[in-house]
Amino acid sequence: MSEEQWSREREAFLSLPRLAGRLTAELIMRSPQGLDPCQDYAIDLRGNKIAAIENMGATQNQFDAVDLSDNEIVKLEGFPPLARLHTLYLSNNRIARIGAELSQQIPMLKAAYLTNNRLKNLADLDPLKSCTRLTHLSLVGNPVSKNPDYRLYAVFSLPALKVLDFRKVKQGEREAAEKKFGGKEGMKAREAAKTFDVGDVNAMTRSDAEMETEGGGATGPSPKQLLAMQAAIANAETLEEVTRLEN
């Protein structure tokens, strides 16, 4: 399915009557699905006012990627075991917690795009530690990203990480993260970093994020731009091309 066909199918779907707020098996079965620009078999569940992830067993483990952007999800949990799924698009939700069993539910998870959500503390990222295949992560627009130790903490906690917030993880960052958070002294530093207060997360609304965007704040690429970037990386023929695109 071409990107143009994908867009037409999505527009047709959005014109249908829907049960807002619930991720039902019926919604899953009639949502647009097909090859996305990265050549992943994906399902598009964006913009359905979904509050909780449920009934994902109805996907029958058919998808490489699931797009749940632009919903009202508050916790990243509720997946059955999905051995094929490796990419989650969850931008523009209200996610404030990540379930402890995520790595068991999605053992192949390698990319999670959580731009513009409500993760507040470094401790909120700890459930991702068991996602040992996670190489791409975006937390742009989350309160936690304001913590001055955020990037080094994420790099230390997620050794497989290659790209964080659309920026390649440098070797120097890995060394700095290990120096700061490694060993017995590092354990104290990790606990101290988790006490940083970024303010009241409830004050962070979607309109706030939109105002930041209008004011020039960096919130990351749009979903369409992100797919185009990923497709370009997937089609790169040399390591130099991949490096240039990821930078």
Side-chain angles (χ1 to χ4, degrees):
M1 179 185 295
S2 69
E3 187 173 357
E4 183 178 351
Q5 290 173 314
W6 177 280
S7 297
R8 285 203 302 267
E9 186 173 337
R10 174 170 171 73
E11 288 174 5
F13 167 73
L14 290 176
S15 67
L16 297 173
R18 290 169 289 161
L19 181 61
R22 289 290 308 278
L23 179 52
T24 63
E26 179 186 3
L27 176 60
I28 289 169
M29 295 191 61
R30 66 178 184 173
S31 293
Q33 51 189 268
L35 290 177
D36 66 16
C38 295
Q39 298 303 299
D40 289 326
Y41 195 59
I43 182 167
D44 185 345
L45 294 162
R46 299 199 311 261
N48 287 291
K49 298 183 180 179
I50 295 166
I53 297 170
E54 57 185 335
N55 297 311
M56 288 297 290
T59 65
Q60 299 181 350
N61 195 32
Q62 295 182 63
F63 300 102
D64 304 304
V66 171
D67 191 344
L68 283 158
S69 302
D70 304 316
N71 282 293
E72 308 293 339
I73 298 167
V74 297
K75 187 173 181 181
L76 182 50
E77 65 172 2
F79 294 94
L82 296 172
R84 178 174 174 176
L85 182 61
H86 59 67
T87 299
L88 293 174
Y89 299 100
L90 289 153
S91 298
N92 303 322
N93 276 279
R94 299 181 178 182
I95 296 171
R97 291 182 61 195
I98 298 173
E101 298 182 355
L102 184 64
S103 63
Q104 299 173 40
Q105 297 165 352
I106 312 177
M108 300 302 289
L109 184 65
K110 68 177 185 180
Y113 299 98
L114 291 152
T115 304
N116 293 336
N117 275 281
R118 299 186 176 186
L119 294 167
K120 181 179 180 182
N121 302 310
L122 292 179
D124 295 332
L125 309 185
D126 286 350
L128 294 175
K129 290 180 180 179
S130 55
C131 298
T132 56
R133 299 175 184 269
L134 190 65
T135 60
H136 289 67
L137 176 65
S138 172
L139 294 169
V140 173
N142 284 261
V144 68
S145 66
K146 298 178 182 178
N147 187 315
D149 290 314
Y150 152 70
R151 189 169 176 90
L152 289 185
Y153 184 87
V155 170
F156 177 83
S157 301
L158 306 168
L161 204 61
K162 294 180 180 179
V163 178
L164 176 61
D165 296 343
F166 310 103
R167 288 170 47 204
K168 184 178 179 181
V169 175
K170 309 287 188 180
Q171 181 58 32
E173 290 179 307
R174 297 190 192 281
E175 294 171 357
E178 179 61 32
K179 182 177 180 180
K180 180 158 190 170
F181 294 121
K184 292 183 180 179
E185 290 300 316
M187 185 179 298
K188 296 178 182 178
R190 292 198 298 274
E191 293 306 312
K194 292 178 184 180
T195 64
F196 182 82
D197 185 8
V198 296
D200 185 2
V201 69
N202 292 323
M204 183 76 172
T205 64
R206 184 167 301 173
S207 60
D208 292 334
E210 291 170 353
M211 289 173 65
E212 286 180 7
T213 302
E214 292 172 359
T219 58
S222 67
K224 183 174 288 188
Q225 291 171 325
L226 177 56
L227 286 172
M229 289 165 58
Q230 290 179 309
I233 291 172
N235 293 325
E237 296 181 354
T238 67
L239 179 60
E240 289 75 13
E241 288 183 61
V242 172
T243 301
R244 177 176 57 80
L245 290 165
E246 288 189 335
N247 287 333

